[in-house]
Amino acid sequence: MLRRNAFLLFVGLLLIMPIVDCGGNNHHQVSTPVISGTLPNGNVDVLYSGTLTVTGGVAPFTWKITGLPATLTFASSGNTVTISGTPLVPGTISGTATVTDSNMTSSSAFPYTFTIGATPALAITPTSFNLMVGTAASQALTVNPATIGPYTWAIISGVLPAGLLLNNGTAADNSNKTIVTTTNTVTIIGTPTTAGNFPFIIQVTDSATPPNSAQASYSGFVSNSNAQACPAGNNNAALPAGTSYAFLLKGFDATDDFPIAIAGSFTAGGDGTVTAADVDYNGITLGPQNPGSNVDLAASSYSFSLNNSDTRGCLSLVFSSGGAANRGNARKSQGSAVKRTSPRARRANSPRREGVPATPPTPTRVIFQFALGGKTAGIYTTGNIIEFDNGDGQTNSWASGVMHVQTLTPTFAVSSLAPNFAFGVAGWDDSVDRAALAGSFAIAGGTIGPIFADFNDNGTASGELNGGSGVINTITTTTGRATANFDIPITGSPDLTFDAVIYVINADDFYVLSSDAVSANVPLLSGRALNTPGTFTAGALNGFSLTASEGFDPVNSTNVVSIGTAQFSSTGTTATASFTQSDNGVVTTPTFTGTYTVDTTNPSSGRVSFTVATGTAIPPVIYLTSGGDGIEEIQGFSVGTDANVGSGILVTQSTAAPDFTPASVSGTYAFGSWEDVDGQNGSFSGVATLAAPSSYSAVEDETFVTLTAPFLSLGTAVNGAFTIIPAGTGTITVGANSSVFVTNGEQIFSIVPTPNSNPDAVLATYTNIVAP
């Protein structure tokens, strides 16, 4: 029995003993740790961070890194190590990294190299922000890159608008001009109390040795609340209750820097209220939009001044929530897909996006400044108008244009329109190349046809087109707005077909704006139409005239503006003209002599072409009108035939030899800029007084887009001098800037240097405030 029990015990021990593989084939293999990674470059005074990673080995790991400067250290976490700190000296940093795991197994030395560059330029963002009277503001300004704090923020020029102060730091004094923050951000807080323009410059300085700093300029533009967005006018009743004005502006969307156009109408209540209004937008990226009847009339307002013939005014149109709607249909749309930093950067062959464009954001309010002239029978008939809100973020666009009193009573209908019209429109195709169209048409009962026209798209001139047709639909009796359609056949190309809105000025006059989404065959076009007599003779031009036009230099991407004088004779149909032209800072004086030809094959067209005998000027094609209305004696609309794609007007000067003196132009004028074709300058309007023998003074409202940040200037006073010679040409000099002009004594057309003295120039019109 004892032996049996011992045997059983032995067997049991065998069962529970581990089996050992003496051959060693199943030993657990532990790999050697390996370091990998790339350390980024850095900059002096800017927090640095770079990471290396270890694979293999057994955690935890112990790191050894050589070659780091004193201000850079490292810390490990898991299988990574992070090198961080603030470099103070530029140069190349190199060394080795080694890691040892918990089994005391070490990696091979890992060599690393990175570069510390100089401190980059600091920049403060954002560059503009929105302020409104009575609305609490909390606007953070951040300087990047973040360097060594603390940071000292100081208002070094101007003051913050009333009601605002610097926050989230420690005030360095009691002036509300300096504050010290621990982070790279300062906050402007408070509730603005006063509307206006309060420009200031803020500077931030860090605690590096030597210190780094940055500055930013702000307009400090504070808009009023919706109903009071315009400053109080001292003579609102000078626009009698029920007086309506149509307007048309052209400009650029400041967000994407693409062209836009705005057309609309408003009716004055005689007391600063707006009793009726419509507005339409279109643009390469901004439109099309039609707030239309969604204008909030109760919140909209205007103000008008009449101080020493200062006929400047303000218009604020407020839109109901969701008022704007994309009027484009679901057709395929092609537009430029390249976001430009400026029109100078646009590419003629830019790639295009396809698909239905997204509905653009609805502006909640648009503010305009205007200056009125041409007073007749107690009513101001004409004016210049600019958008004046690019600083308050409502629309992010700027534009300039014209306005005209409307005659809409008694109840106006399509049948009230004159039977024949000439027109001139200009704008941009879908590649953001300049396009212009001038022509004429007959209309009966709203049906248009035939249409005669000349079209120039990016320097490709069509020659005379005919056979077009179209329609003008029912006119809104309160605002003169109507929808329309035009279809113009182009030989060898698709028809130029586009929908449009028109704003009727009177039976003989209306503004037009294309309302389709811009596409490969539909450009953005806007302009004006005036009545014609219906038939023209071979000698339809006779006497002295003025010319004014603007185009776009596709090589230098700059404005091309031109003014001139011309003399025509119906006997022999002779023509002589001399011009002043500004293109990219180069001013030339081209001339030509020759003959003109009126299209008598189609005597209703009023088309005039020119044959040059001598001279360097390239004359345009002109479509004649009945001579315009009132103070605007527009004889015709012109379209250029060269690569600059000029578009403009011909204006009556006299039927007798001009003999102008300083007294001939003495008086007060409303003035304003035409379209800023290259989008580099902004816009302006105001009132100017010319007093014999040579005094010039003006009050201007301006929107500058070439300065940082874009800002508005309200009521800027300027003074200078003028000269004039008997032919009706002259100069206006303000400071170091000299403009040239041509005049008929009622209007002045001027080539104006840009406000910041760039070589780029713009075109401006001056109109007598009181019609002779």
Side-chain angles (χ1 to χ4, degrees), residues 339-424:
K339 180 174 179 178
R340 306 170 304 151
T341 56
S342 75
R344 295 181 189 274
R346 73 115 176 92
R347 300 183 180 92
N349 297 314
S350 59
R352 299 169 180 164
R353 67 171 185 265
E354 293 191 0
V356 179
T359 301
T362 303
T364 57
R365 178 185 62 209
V366 185
I367 303 173
F368 304 94
Q369 285 291 131
F370 59 85
L372 292 176
K375 188 175 184 180
T376 304
I379 300 295
Y380 295 97
T381 61
T382 63
N384 297 92
I385 184 169
I386 63 174
E387 187 177 352
F388 202 71
D389 56 9
N390 64 287
D392 76 353
Q394 294 296 323
T395 59
N396 288 323
S397 61
W398 72 92
S400 58
V402 291
M403 57 191 298
H404 200 290
V405 71
Q406 295 175 282
T407 305
L408 300 173
T409 55
T411 300
F412 204 87
V414 176
S415 59
S416 303
L417 292 173
N420 296 279
F421 283 88
F423 64 90

Side-chain angles (χ1 to χ4, degrees), residues 129-209:
F129 52 88
N130 309 329
L131 296 171
M132 182 184 292
V133 170
T135 299
S138 180
Q139 178 62 53
L141 303 181
T142 302
V143 61
N144 282 305
T147 51
I148 300 174
Y151 301 83
T152 300
W153 301 79
I155 307 296
I156 62 172
S157 177
V159 295
L160 289 174
L164 301 181
L165 54 85
L166 299 174
N167 192 44
N168 77 307
T170 302
D173 53 38
N174 295 322
S175 67
N176 191 32
K177 285 193 170 186
T178 306
I179 195 170
V180 178
T181 65
T182 57
T183 68
N184 62 326
T185 296
V186 71
T187 305
I188 297 176
I189 66 167
T191 301
T193 60
T194 306
N197 197 53
F198 307 99
F200 66 91
I201 299 174
I202 190 167
Q203 177 176 282
V204 60
T205 305
D206 66 11
S207 296
T209 304

Side-chain angles (χ1 to χ4, degrees), residues 257-454:
D257 226 359
F258 281 95
I260 63 165
I262 308 170
S265 165
F266 79 97
T267 301
D271 57 358
T273 61
V274 173
T275 59
D278 266 329
V279 181
D280 286 84
Y281 290 80
N282 203 355
I284 302 293
T285 57
L286 187 65
Q289 296 185 59
N290 171 28
S293 59
N294 288 290
V295 174
D296 185 345
L297 299 179
S300 300
S301 64
Y302 75 90
S303 66
F304 190 70
S305 299
L306 196 60
N307 246 339
N308 299 321
S309 298
D310 180 358
T311 58
R312 293 160 52 243
C314 172
L315 171 65
S316 170
L317 297 179
V318 179
F319 303 114
S320 304
S321 177
N326 190 326
R327 299 181 65 245
N329 58 26
R331 74 183 71 178
K332 178 174 165 180
S333 173
Q334 293 181 310
S336 174
V338 176
K339 180 174 179 178
R340 306 170 304 151
T341 56
S342 75
R344 295 181 189 274
R346 73 115 176 92
R347 300 183 180 92
N349 297 314
S350 59
R352 299 169 180 164
R353 67 171 185 265
E354 293 191 0
V356 179
T359 301
T362 303
T364 57
R365 178 185 62 209
V366 185
I367 303 173
F368 304 94
Q369 285 291 131
F370 59 85
L372 292 176
K375 188 175 184 180
T376 304
I379 300 295
Y380 295 97
T381 61
T382 63
N384 297 92
I385 184 169
I386 63 174
E387 187 177 352
F388 202 71
D389 56 9
N390 64 287
D392 76 353
Q394 294 296 323
T395 59
N396 288 323
S397 61
W398 72 92
S400 58
V402 291
M403 57 191 298
H404 200 290
V405 71
Q406 295 175 282
T407 305
L408 300 173
T409 55
T411 300
F412 204 87
V414 176
S415 59
S416 303
L417 292 173
N420 296 279
F421 283 88
F423 64 90
V425 294
W428 306 88
D429 66 17
D430 70 318
S431 294
V432 202
D433 291 314
R434 192 67 176 172
L437 177 71
S440 63
F441 60 82
I443 180 171
T447 300
I448 295 172
I451 299 176
F452 301 93
D454 280 72

Side-chain angles (χ1 to χ4, degrees), residues 547-591:
T547 67
S549 69
E550 58 183 357
F552 182 72
D553 179 343
V555 176
N556 296 307
S557 296
T558 54
N559 294 337
V560 179
V561 293
S562 176
I563 57 174
T565 57
Q567 182 178 358
F568 305 105
S569 173
S570 57
T571 304
T573 61
T574 59
T576 302
S578 60
F579 306 91
T580 298
Q581 178 175 287
S582 178
D583 179 3
N584 195 35
V586 178
V587 177
T588 57
T589 55
T591 63

